[in-house]
Amino acid sequence: MYAFIKRDLVILLSITLAVSCQNQNKKMLRAKAPVAEKSPKELEKHGDIRVDNYYWLNDRENPKVLSYLEEENAYYKKLTAHTKEFEQSLFEEMKSRIKEDDTSVPYKKNGYWYVTRYENGKEYPIYGRKKTNLEADEEIMFNCNEMASGHEYFNLGGLSVSPDNKLAAFGVDTVSRRQYTIRIKDLESEKILDDIIENTTGGAVWANDGKTLFYSKKDPETLRSNKIYKHKVGTPSSLDEVVFHEEDETFSTFVYKTKSKKYIVIGSYSTLTTEYQIIPADDPDSALRMFSPRTRGLEYNISHYGNHFYILTNKDNARNFKLMKTSEDSTLADNWEEFIGHRKDVLLEDIDIFKDYYVLTERENGLNKLRIVRWDSQEEYYLPFDSETYTANVGINPDFDTETLRYSYNSLTTPRSIIDFNLSTRVKEIKKEQEVLGGKFDKANYRSERIWATARDGVKVPISLVYHKDTRINNKTPLLQYAYGSYGATIDPYFSTVRLSLLDRGFVYALTHVRGGQYLGRPWYDDGKLLNKKNTFTDFIDCSKFLISKQYTSSEHLYAMGGSAGGLLMGAIVNMAPELYNGVIAAVPFVDVITTMSDESIPLTTGEYDEWGNPDDKVQYDYMKSYSPYDQVSAQEYPNMLVTTGLHDSQVQYWEPAKWVAKLRQYKTDDHLLFLDTNMDAGHGGASGRFEALKEVAKEYTFLLDLERKIP
C-alpha cells in the first residue's frame, strides 16, 4: 500500500484512540450484545412447521420492540466509539468534495426554464424557474429547506406544473413511508390551495384543461397503489371520482401523460405483465378506453407520435424486446405491426420520441448504446462511446419539437456530464461536468477495467473494477464487492465522489453484474429469479473466489455490500460461504423471504410472486426456504457484519433485519462484530437530507476501514 495512504490512515485513526488497542479489545469483549427475548411462534405451511422465536418484533408500536432496537443502537455506538472522530472526519472529507451551491442544467418546458439548485450549508433543494429565457428573474417555486423545518424526514416529489403554468401539484412525505400528501400551489399568488389529497404515490398528472388532476392512491394497509382518482381543483378530495380500481392484488397502477400531450395513460403492472388504458387529455371526463387487455407474461410500454402508438414489447417471445407500431384507433395487440425486430444479443430498453427523430436505448454485451434514427429513415447512427465501464442515459427531454438530445455520461473514473447533442449536425455541447472539489481529484489517477469470472455452471459473469493507479493489486489489497441482482435492475458502472474515500485508501471497488439484473439482456434476468434465484448468490460467491484466485485480494481483505434485495444477497452469501469475507454490510436487507411472501398485508408482497415465487405453491415454498437467509441461519462462524434498517421502511419492514440479527446472535459461533443500526426517523431510502445521507455512508465506510486497520 502506497505511502500517503498509510500516512493518511495513521493520522486519521490515531487521533481517535483514547486507549491502546489491547485495552480497547478487552473493553469490547466486556460489552455484552443485546439478547432478544425468545417467544416461539409456529408457522405452518404444506405440513412444514417453522418456529420463529423473534416474530414478536413485528410490532413497531410495542415499547419492548422499540427498547430492543434502542439497545442494539446503543451497543453499536459503544463498540464503535473509538471510530467516531474518524467517522466525522470521513464525513467532512466526503462533504468537502461536493459543490454545496450547486445548480442543475436548466431545461425548457412550455415557455419556462426549470432549474434545481442548492445553497451553501443547506440540506434540501430549491426548485425555481425563469420565463422565456435564462436572463429573466428567478421565480422560486419551492424552497424545501423551509418546508422541511420541524421534520426529521422530508421529501418533496411528483412536482407537476399545469398546462397554463399557473398551478403546481406536489407531494410531500414527512414519515419516509412513501405515503405522500398531494397539495397544489398557486404559482402567481404563491399560496397553497386548500386541496389536500392524502395517502398517494406523490405524483399527479394534469389534463389539458389545467383544472383536472389524475393521481394514484394507495391501499392504507398494503400500500399498494390500487386506485386512480380524478380531482377537480378547488373541490374537496372526498368528492374525487375513482377512475380506475385495480382489484387484482398482484398488480399496481399508475398514471402519466404522453409526450405528445394527447393522452392520459393509466397503467397496471405486475412483475411480468402490463396493461394500459387511455383517456384523451383534452376530454378528461370521457370514459377509459382499453389499449390492449392484459395477457399473462405479455409486457408492453406505449409512446405516442402522430397518429400512431409505438409499443416496446416482448410479444411473440421477443425476450430482449422489440418495437411495434399501431394506429391510435386500432390499439389491440392483434393490430400491432413490427417496426424494429427482436435481436437475440441486443436488449431494447427504451424509446424517446422527437419531431424528426427517435432515440433508442439499447444494451449489447452489457454496454449502453444510444441509437439515433430519423423518422424518414434517411439517417441512422450510434453515439460513440469508447470505454467498457461507462454509463450513458437519455436525460430530461420534455420538448418534442427540437433537434437537441440531452443525455448524461459518466464512468467509474469520470464524473457525470450533462451533454446536449444536436441530432442533425452531430455536434455535442457539454453543459455541465460534475465538480469534485478539494483540489485533490484527478481522473488520471484512477484505473478501471472489466473482467469476466466463470460461474460454477460455466457462465461468464462480468465484474467492473475501479482503483487508484498507485494501489498494489495483490492478496493483501482490500476489496469491496457490491451487487444487487434482482427485478431486472441493472446497476451500471457509475462515478461516485464518496467512493473516492475508499479508493484513496487503497481499496478496489468491484461491481459484480450477477444474474437477476439485465446487464446482459433479459435472459440474464430470467436466469436469476424464481426457481433460478440461487444463481444470483452463487454468481456472487464465484466472483469472490475468482477475485481471490487472481490475487486481486484475499478472504482476509474481501468485503461485501448490498442493500434491499441486494441485502438478501448478502444474507445468502454469509450462510453459504461465510469464510470468504472479512466484513459484510447488509443495508435494509430483505432476509425473511417465506414469512414476508406469505403475508399479503405487507407492501410489495402480492405484486412480487413472479419475482420470488408464491409460498402457496409447495415447490416454490421449498425453494425459497432453501435460500431464505433467516431460515438458513446455522451454528457456524459468520463474518463481521453491519446491518442497517429504518423504523418506517415500507419496502423491507424493519423487523426482518432485526429478527435476523437476533437469530444470528443466537447461532453464530464466533466473536466477530455484529451490529444492527436502526434509523428511528427514516425508511427504506435512509436519511432525506443530502448531507445526512453522507453520514450514513461515512458509518459504512468507517466500519470497513476499521476492520481493515485491525488486520496485522
Side-chain angles (χ1 to χ4, degrees):
M1 196 177 294
Y2 42 95
F4 80 84
I5 293 173
K6 274 190 163 181
R7 185 174 66 251
D8 192 27
L9 272 174
V10 170
I11 292 172
L12 286 172
L13 286 171
S14 63
I15 63 173
T16 70
L17 298 177
V19 294
S20 69
C21 289
Q22 183 178 3
N23 289 338
Q24 174 197 319
N25 290 337
K26 289 180 179 179
K27 182 179 179 181
M28 290 172 64
L29 289 173
R30 288 198 301 269
K32 285 190 176 182
V35 177
E37 175 186 322
K38 291 182 183 178
S39 179
K41 179 178 178 63
E42 291 190 354
L43 302 170
E44 188 275 334
K45 210 172 190 71
H46 305 295
D48 177 51
I49 297 177
R50 295 181 301 129
V51 178
D52 188 345
N53 288 320
Y54 306 107
Y55 190 89
W56 66 273
L57 287 170
N58 179 355
D59 183 3
R60 68 169 49 84
E61 305 300 326
N62 185 342
K64 284 176 59 178
V65 172
L66 297 177
S67 176
Y68 169 70
L69 296 177
E70 294 287 9
E71 284 180 37
E72 285 283 3
N73 282 351
Y75 175 72
Y76 166 61
K77 290 177 182 177
K78 183 174 183 179
L79 266 65
T80 58
H82 66 286
T83 69
K84 289 308 172 184
E85 287 188 33
F86 174 64
E87 181 185 309
Q88 180 63 28
S89 68
L90 200 60
F91 162 71
E92 296 294 344
E93 175 183 302
M94 294 174 178
K95 183 180 176 183
S96 71
R97 298 192 192 103
I98 296 175
K99 182 176 172 58
E100 292 195 34
D101 56 342
D102 203 6
T103 302
S104 68
V105 179
Y107 67 88
K108 192 174 185 181
K109 183 177 181 181
N110 199 23
Y112 280 83
W113 289 92
Y114 288 87
V115 66
T116 303
R117 61 183 178 85
Y118 290 87
E119 294 181 341
N120 284 327
K122 300 295 180 63
E123 291 277 0
Y124 296 97
I126 297 171
Y127 296 95
R129 65 178 185 173
K130 297 182 178 183
K131 189 173 183 179
T132 308
N133 58 65
L134 292 172
E135 286 68 46
D137 293 336
E138 181 187 32
E139 173 188 335
I140 295 178
M141 302 164 62
F142 299 99
N143 186 334
C144 293
N145 298 288
E146 297 175 355
M147 298 171 71
S149 178
H151 299 289
E152 292 292 336
Y153 178 92
F154 178 86
N155 187 38
L156 183 146
L159 177 56
S160 178
V161 178
S162 62
D164 60 8
N165 294 313
K166 294 181 179 180
L167 302 174
F170 62 99
V172 169
D173 175 14
T174 57
V175 178
S176 191
R177 287 281 288 173
R178 300 188 182 182
Q179 291 173 282
Y180 290 82
T181 297
I182 292 177
R183 303 297 306 270
I184 301 171
K185 182 176 182 178
D186 186 320
L187 297 176
E188 294 181 330
S189 68
E190 300 188 1
K191 293 182 179 179
I192 304 295
L193 304 186
D194 292 334
D195 309 53
I196 300 176
I197 309 171
E198 297 180 327
N199 192 33
T200 77
T201 58
V205 176
W206 292 95
N208 290 345
D209 63 4
K211 300 176 182 178
T212 306
L213 272 176
F214 292 85
Y215 64 92
S216 51
K217 202 159 189 175
K218 294 188 170 187
D219 180 282
E221 181 177 14
T222 67
L223 302 188
R224 178 175 69 95
S225 54
N226 64 342
K227 292 180 181 179
I228 302 296
Y229 282 81
K230 180 171 57 179
H231 176 75
K232 300 292 184 179
V233 175
T235 65
S237 61
S238 59
L239 300 179
D240 290 356
E241 175 187 344
V242 178
V243 177
F244 173 66
H245 181 193
E246 179 51 76
E247 298 183 352
D248 189 328
E249 293 183 349
T250 66
F251 280 74
S252 296
T253 186
F254 60 96
V255 60
Y256 70 94
K257 185 191 287 188
T258 60
K259 188 174 179 178
S260 67
K261 303 178 183 178
K262 189 171 182 178
Y263 292 99
I264 303 291
V265 181
I266 293 174
S268 294
Y269 70 96
S270 67
T271 304
L272 297 176
T273 307
T274 49
E275 174 186 84
Y276 292 93
Q277 302 175 77
I278 56 178
I279 299 174
D282 285 334
D283 188 9
D285 294 325
S286 61
L288 279 174
R289 175 161 71 92
M290 176 63 67
F291 189 89
S292 191
R294 67 191 66 175
T295 301
R296 179 168 173 76
L298 176 63
E299 299 174 66
Y300 70 94
N301 293 315
I302 60 177
S303 300
H304 180 258
Y305 173 72
N307 298 319
H308 292 86
F309 281 98
Y310 291 81
I311 306 107
L312 186 66
T313 180
N314 66 346
K315 190 175 184 288
D316 306 319
N317 298 313
R319 290 182 75 186
N320 271 332
F321 290 78
K322 61 182 177 179
L323 193 63
M324 304 188 79
K325 175 183 177 180
T326 193
S327 165
E328 60 184 353
D329 297 322
S330 304
T331 60
L332 298 180
D334 290 343
N335 299 311
W336 300 354
E337 300 175 354
E338 190 167 288
F339 188 70
I340 295 177
H342 174 258
R343 289 161 290 173
K344 181 180 179 181
D345 298 323
V346 179
L347 174 65
L348 186 56
E349 292 185 322
D350 203 0
I351 180 174
D352 209 328
I353 289 174
F354 299 87
K355 179 182 178 182
D356 297 322
Y357 295 85
Y358 59 92
V359 179
L360 301 172
T361 301
E362 302 175 349
R363 186 179 297 275
E364 184 175 11
N365 197 32
L367 304 180
N368 300 122
K369 301 178 77 174
L370 299 182
R371 180 181 173 190
I372 316 298
V373 188
R374 281 187 64 94
W375 286 107
D376 58 17
S377 301
Q378 292 181 3
E379 189 177 26
E380 177 178 337
Y381 58 93
Y382 285 90
L383 286 180
F385 304 116
D386 56 6
S387 171
E388 277 198 323
T389 58
Y390 72 88
T391 300
N393 293 307
V394 173
I396 299 175
N397 291 278
D399 195 356
F400 171 74
D401 188 5
T402 181
E403 289 189 337
T404 299
L405 167 71
R406 176 163 293 176
Y407 70 96
S408 65
Y409 175 88
N410 73 104
S411 73
L412 287 171
T413 59
T414 306
R416 183 171 182 260
S417 294
I418 305 297
I419 301 167
D420 279 357
F421 180 80
N422 189 291
L423 299 168
S424 178
T425 64
R426 305 194 189 186
V427 173
K428 70 177 182 180
E429 179 186 1
I430 298 177
K431 304 297 290 186
K432 180 180 180 180
E433 181 173 301
Q434 179 184 1
E435 293 185 60
V436 183
L437 302 184
K440 297 180 181 179
F441 173 74
D442 181 350
K443 59 186 176 184
N445 286 334
Y446 302 89
R447 302 284 183 265
S448 67
E449 57 181 303
R450 185 171 64 162
I451 59 178
W452 298 77
T454 302
R456 61 195 63 186
D457 60 357
V459 170
K460 298 289 187 181
V461 181
I463 308 171
S464 297
L465 300 173
V466 62
Y467 48 88
H468 195 284
K469 66 181 179 62
D470 293 336
T471 296
R472 295 178 182 177
I473 306 298
N474 55 43
N475 61 4
K476 294 184 178 180
T477 306
L479 186 149
L480 175 59
Q481 184 181 347
Y482 177 88
Y484 184 73
S486 292
Y487 302 108
T490 298
I491 309 299
D492 282 309
Y494 65 95
F495 181 80
S496 167
T497 61
V498 296
R499 190 189 299 139
L500 296 175
S501 292
L502 287 182
L503 304 186
D504 290 349
R505 291 175 170 82
F507 265 75
V508 174
Y509 180 84
L511 176 56
T512 312
H513 307 286
V514 295
R515 280 173 281 188
Q518 283 189 156
Y519 186 77
L520 293 179
R522 188 53 177 261
W524 202 245
Y525 171 40
D526 293 337
D527 289 346
K529 68 176 181 180
L530 293 173
L531 298 179
N532 295 320
K533 188 62 210 172
K534 288 182 184 178
N535 284 336
T536 301
F537 317 138
T538 55
D539 279 359
F540 192 93
I541 291 170
D542 292 342
C543 286
S544 299
K545 292 178 177 179
F546 175 81
L547 291 165
I548 292 171
S549 70
K550 296 300 181 182
Q551 293 206 332
Y552 281 92
T553 189
S554 62
S555 58
E556 191 177 31
H557 298 275
L558 179 58
Y559 304 89
M561 181 175 180
S564 193
L568 164 66
L569 170 58
M570 296 299 101
I573 66 166
V574 297
N575 283 332
M576 298 168 67
E579 73 282 357
L580 292 179
Y581 310 96
N582 185 36
V584 172
I585 298 175
V588 291
F590 170 45
V591 286
D592 190 11
V593 182
I594 293 291
T595 307
T596 291
M597 294 306 296
S598 298
D599 187 349
E600 296 183 358
S601 70
I602 295 176
L604 301 183
T605 293
T606 56
E608 300 200 355
Y609 290 147
D610 288 329
E611 179 71 27
W612 311 106
N614 188 336
D616 290 340
D617 181 299
K618 188 178 187 307
V619 172
Q620 295 181 3
Y621 171 90
D622 289 341
Y623 187 80
M624 282 188 282
K625 183 182 177 183
S626 71
Y627 69 74
S628 174
Y630 185 63
D631 292 287
Q632 295 304 316
V633 170
S634 63
Q636 63 174 342
E637 289 194 3
Y638 282 88
N640 297 289
M641 295 174 62
L642 170 62
V643 182
T644 66
T645 187
L647 182 64
H648 302 291
D649 197 329
S650 62
Q651 309 302 104
V652 178
Q653 308 296 323
Y654 75 89
W655 58 77
E656 289 197 43
K659 287 169 38 176
W660 183 44
V661 167
K663 190 172 183 180
L664 283 168
R665 292 206 190 285
Q666 175 188 348
Y667 278 90
K668 73 192 204 75
T669 59
D670 57 82
D671 59 359
H672 295 148
L673 299 175
L674 174 59
F675 297 137
L676 174 65
D677 179 28
T678 303
N679 187 326
M680 305 300 283
D681 298 312
H684 198 63
S688 56
R690 58 175 174 158
F691 301 133
E692 287 300 314
L694 284 182
K695 291 180 180 178
E696 296 183 353
V697 181
K699 277 185 181 181
E700 295 166 349
Y701 283 11
T702 297
F703 175 74
L704 299 176
L705 290 164
D706 192 49
L707 288 176
E708 185 65 16
R709 179 189 63 83
K710 293 173 183 175
I711 299 174

